[in-house]
Amino acid sequence: MSKMKNTIDPAVNYLLPLAKKAGIETVWDRFAAMKPQCGFGELGICCRICWKGPCRIDPFGNGPQRGVCGADAHTIVARNLIRMIAGGAAAHSDHGRHIALTLLEVGEGHAPAYRIKDEQKLRNIAEKLNLAPAGKDIRQVAKEVALASLEDYSRQKYSISCNWAKETLTAERVDKLVELGVMPHNIDAVIAEIMHRTHVGCDADAVNLLLGVIKGALADYTGMYLSTELSDVLFGTPEPVVTAANLGVLKKDAVNIAVHGHNPVLSEVICDVALKMNEEAKKAGAKEGINVVGICCTGNEVMMRRGIPLATNYLSQELAIITGAVDAMVVDVQCIMPAITGVAGCFHTEVITTIATNKIPGATHVEFREDSAFDSAKKIVEVAIDAFKRRDNRKVNIPDYKQTAIAGFSAEAIMAALSKVNAKDPLKPLIDNIVNGNIQGIALFAGCNNTQVTQDNNFITIAKELAKNNVLMLATGCGAGAFAKNGLMTQEATEAYAGDSLKAVLTAIGKSAGLNGPLPLVLHMGSCVDNTRAVKVAVAVANKLGVDLDKLPVVASAPEAMAEKAVAIATWAVALGLPTHIGIVPQIMGSSVVAKFLTEKAKDLLGGYFIVETDPKKAADQLFTAIKERRKGLSI
Ligand code: SF4
Ligand code: MSK
């Protein structure tokens, strides 16, 4: 059997042999050492919920079929899954809480490092949340929006749905979700409920747990939606910006600061402060001053809003350090490998943690607080400049690989581009082209990288196949990173890979929007928390057509999913009615009840369902088949 390639990223392929030669271990070495991975875990049939365990079910039927307490495979798999959803929802929604609290501080005048950058968006949100903003002072509006958002974390009445869930979906979808009893009333309470119902001796009914899975995923959706929207208010709503991606964006003659993680509350201030400290960097010998680059989703955030180049995505974060050119890697929350401090120990790189609840042994901790954001950011940049002075240039190996990437396609930016084609009715050109088949459908790519598959390969393979079939593509998270690094967020990619009718539409819109050519083949919609931007566009289209989301020729794919957050996102995509592809075998296959529910029964209940396919070409076929099925349903 031929060995699976680690990655298709040329920069990573350039650096991995150097890492090996230097005896530096990476994620791929640890993955190889971990094999064979536990078969019980792969099937989701091991349980460690109580200390009578661990228990495991024999998948071949010869050994135990129940845990010590009597839980069977279906209960165990469903409980494991719902706890993953709780983890994902907690991560996204805690991020959202942080943003909402920052907005509240701004409204109350306690956060001098921040301001309201998009007042109009704030007022639009206030309208959506029925807060009657007309005539009110903008800080008052900020306060009211923040409090209405925080209500989604504190409401005690089960009968009232979360504001950000009920006001952002089609009415029909809201009714359906309420009827199924899966609409969240309070994000925190839903997460607590999941932890309670999965405590030893509680919910043992797999189907009931699966409905809880859907509810948990919708709590995730709620936290994500408000996080994105309030981030735009504070930091600006992204607009198309031309930048670059891959490790070649690091500069030999600059203090390179990599911002990594998810939360723009920190990275935005670092970018501001870095600009002001350029002279200090030059005095330290960095001819080109400070070069801020992004990794993972913090990278996507600053790329979308500021055109800061993206160094790399999740799986290759260690490789950024192995270039020997990163002076500081500043991390906040989520998707930060604990391994980075070990790699940094082989170089001069400072890993700087910033959040009290996210520390890594071996890192320097600079606590970040909103009320003293400038001071913390200044200290971080000083640490980076100091580290630069210790850089060993003999160890510097910056791969000469970078690609142009056009980022910044928020829902508003897409509407703005469309309004250049039809100012009165911006959605019309999109809908007309879907109806006439020039655009067959829309695919949203989300999610991570995963060592289980060749890094970036599934994203690129599926996208090229769908492009041929005239499918419009959107991307977020490390999927967006994959496309950016591999040149699919360019106009040239549209010329090279789009089917004729898709190319014609992307060219017409791009030219009208003043891009002097087509829109890029894949539209960068932001970080993993920003998937709701795609929902915003889909809901607008659905409302205009007068149909629910499960009728639209819209599909989602997380072909290299890894994180609990990705599991939660994929699940709410299903709950919203989308056929949703996963390119990794999910850890649920030990229960026929759970697998059948998610891949088949969900379709009857919600319209959306999971497609599990590890072969990217076959996955593209299945996604396109789902699109065609939807078109047939609409008689188009
Ligand atoms: Fe075993 Fe039941 Fe305890 Fe899980 S909850 S570890 S199945 S005894
Ligand atoms: S960083 S959740 S690896 S997308 Fe958002 Fe990337 Fe997945 Fe983390």
Side-chain angles (χ1 to χ4, degrees):
M1 209 170 80
S2 67
K3 192 179 169 286
M4 186 186 83
K5 276 201 238 155
N6 292 334
T7 181
I8 58 165
D9 179 333
V12 179
N13 276 324
Y14 167 82
L15 286 167
L16 280 179
L18 302 182
K20 197 176 173 123
K21 202 166 156 209
I24 303 169
E25 180 189 88
T26 69
V27 69
W28 286 283
D29 298 312
R30 293 186 295 276
F31 179 63
M34 196 56 69
K35 281 185 165 175
Q37 288 178 290
C38 170
F40 296 96
E42 282 177 346
L43 292 170
I45 45 176
C46 57
C47 181
R48 288 193 303 103
I49 276 176
C50 88
W51 286 355
K52 296 194 300 305
C55 299
R56 54 193 202 179
I57 304 302
D58 183 339
F60 304 110
N62 302 323
Q65 294 302 295
R66 288 182 181 270
V68 176
C69 68
D72 65 10
H74 308 301
T75 303
I76 291 173
V77 169
R79 282 197 310 214
N80 287 340
L81 176 65
I82 199 172
R83 282 197 168 201
M84 282 199 90
I85 298 278
H92 277 143
S93 62
D94 210 28
H95 174 162
R97 182 198 335 267
H98 197 160
I99 306 281
L101 287 169
T102 306
L103 183 65
L104 183 61
E105 299 263 295
V106 171
E108 290 175 342
H110 302 317
Y114 305 94
R115 64 188 177 87
I116 296 156
K117 277 208 182 141
D118 192 338
E119 290 196 10
Q120 190 52 52
K121 179 148 187 173
L122 178 59
R123 289 192 184 276
N124 294 348
I125 291 170
E127 286 284 356
K128 209 171 197 23
L129 298 179
N130 308 308
L131 297 170
K136 287 180 188 163
D137 173 69
I138 197 69
R139 290 215 339 226
Q140 178 62 23
V141 181
K143 234 170 105 171
E144 289 181 18
V145 165
L147 290 171
S149 304
L150 291 166
E151 232 188 306
D152 281 353
Y153 296 83
S154 59
R155 181 181 299 102
Q156 296 305 319
K157 261 198 177 254
Y158 279 76
S159 56
I160 301 179
S161 303
C162 281
N163 294 322
W164 279 95
K166 73 169 186 282
E167 302 301 343
T168 56
L169 293 171
T170 57
E172 200 180 319
R173 184 66 21 183
V174 171
D175 289 347
K176 187 184 283 268
L177 298 174
V178 169
E179 199 186 310
L180 284 170
V182 295
M183 267 300 256
H185 68 293
N186 168 334
I187 300 165
D188 287 352
V190 170
I191 294 166
E193 183 181 272
I194 289 175
M195 298 314 284
H196 178 188
R197 71 194 292 172
T198 55
H199 184 274
V200 61
C202 290
D203 199 353
D205 181 331
V207 173
N208 201 39
L209 281 160
L210 287 164
L211 289 170
V213 162
I214 304 290
K215 187 172 171 184
L218 290 164
D220 179 73
Y221 167 84
T222 308
M224 285 177 69
Y225 209 120
L226 70 90
S227 177
T228 293
E229 296 293 282
L230 303 187
S231 293
D232 283 355
V233 167
L234 287 171
F235 308 120
T237 303
E239 289 173 8
V241 57
V242 182
T243 177
N246 217 339
L247 290 167
V249 302
L250 292 165
K251 292 181 183 169
K252 195 167 170 291
D253 293 320
V255 173
N256 291 303
I257 301 178
V259 288
H260 174 15
H262 282 79
N263 195 334
V265 167
L266 165 71
S267 49
E268 282 290 323
V269 185
I270 291 190
C271 291
D272 284 341
V273 169
L275 277 175
K276 290 185 191 134
M277 292 177 70
N278 244 337
E279 286 313 309
E280 266 111 311
K282 285 184 182 165
K283 267 186 224 149
K287 279 185 252 161
E288 293 198 58
I290 295 175
N291 179 37
V292 180
V293 299
I295 295 183
C296 275
C297 283
T298 292
N300 285 318
E301 296 274 353
V302 291
M303 187 188 203
M304 290 272 283
R305 296 202 176 89
R306 293 174 174 261
I308 298 274
L310 183 79
T312 200
N313 55 354
Y314 174 74
L315 215 48
S316 35
Q317 55 189 274
E318 294 161 289
L319 281 301
I321 300 175
I322 292 171
T323 62
V326 172
D327 302 298
M329 187 176 278
V330 187
V331 304
D332 50 72
V333 291
Q334 302 163 21
C335 303
I336 300 140
M337 291 186 195
I340 55 173
T341 49
V343 181
C346 305
F347 298 88
H348 69 295
T349 311
E350 284 277 357
V351 174
I352 304 172
T353 53
T354 54
I355 308 288
T357 50
N358 286 257
K359 293 189 179 177
I360 304 174
T364 302
H365 189 73
V366 179
E367 188 83 15
F368 181 81
R369 295 206 346 242
E370 287 72 36
D371 56 358
S372 53
F374 281 133
D375 295 339
S376 323
K378 189 163 180 271
K379 190 156 176 212
I380 287 167
V381 177
E382 281 167 358
V383 172
I385 294 173
D386 253 11
F388 169 82
K389 294 179 197 159
R390 299 194 303 274
R391 190 195 287 177
D392 180 350
N393 279 321
R394 290 167 306 177
K395 288 187 177 177
V396 173
N397 271 301
I398 301 175
D400 190 16
Y401 294 105
K402 65 176 168 185
Q403 288 278 355
T404 300
I406 307 177
F409 290 93
S410 57
E412 290 81 352
I414 290 176
M415 293 301 276
L418 291 169
S419 71
K420 296 281 172 19
V421 183
N422 186 334
K424 274 205 191 122
D425 191 356
L427 281 176
K428 192 167 184 297
L430 179 62
I431 290 174
D432 285 353
N433 280 299
I434 292 175
V435 171
N436 69 22
N438 285 341
I439 295 175
Q440 288 286 308
I442 301 178
L444 166 65
F445 288 94
C448 329
N449 293 141
N450 188 328
T451 34
Q452 308 275 357
V453 294
T454 302
Q455 183 190 21
D456 299 343
N457 182 52
N458 282 359
F459 285 107
I460 306 303
T461 309
I462 297 174
K464 284 184 182 170
E465 291 296 314
L466 292 181
K468 272 193 246 168
N469 287 309
N470 299 302
V471 174
L472 177 66
M473 292 177 286
L474 316 170
T476 62
C478 289
F483 292 123
K485 288 187 307 172
N486 290 284
L488 264 61
M489 288 178 159
T490 58
Q491 297 179 312
E492 292 75 12
T494 307
E495 300 287 358
Y497 302 115
D500 289 343
S501 60
L502 176 67
K503 197 186 296 178
V505 178
L506 292 178
T507 304
I509 299 173
K511 283 193 171 160
S512 306
L515 279 183
N516 208 12
L519 292 176
L521 185 69
V522 183
L523 303 183
H524 191 313
M525 285 204 117
S527 65
C528 51
V529 85
D530 291 338
N531 282 294
T532 48
R533 295 190 195 279
V535 177
K536 201 176 196 179
V537 176
V539 167
V541 171
N543 282 338
K544 188 155 170 71
L545 290 174
V547 298
D548 196 5
L549 292 165
D550 62 346
K551 304 290 180 298
L552 298 180
V554 178
V555 296
S557 174
E560 303 181 20
M562 170 276 305
E564 290 166 318
K565 291 180 295 168
V567 178
I569 295 167
T571 308
W572 65 243
V574 167
L576 265 47
L578 308 190
T580 301
H581 163 245
I582 301 277
I584 304 289
V585 180
Q587 294 170 3
I588 60 157
M589 302 312 253
S591 163
S592 54
V593 171
V594 175
K596 212 173 158 64
F597 181 96
L598 294 172
T599 54
E600 294 174 29
K601 287 220 171 97
K603 194 171 182 177
D604 305 329
L605 276 183
L606 300 154
Y609 54 95
F610 277 102
I611 299 166
V612 178
E613 178 54 67
T614 54
D615 178 319
K617 287 211 170 165
K618 286 188 189 156
D621 280 350
Q622 291 187 45
L623 287 165
F624 192 51
T625 301
I627 285 174
K628 284 190 288 191
E629 222 176 272
R630 292 282 163 99
R631 293 187 65 86
K632 211 166 155 197
L634 285 170
S635 308
I636 56 175

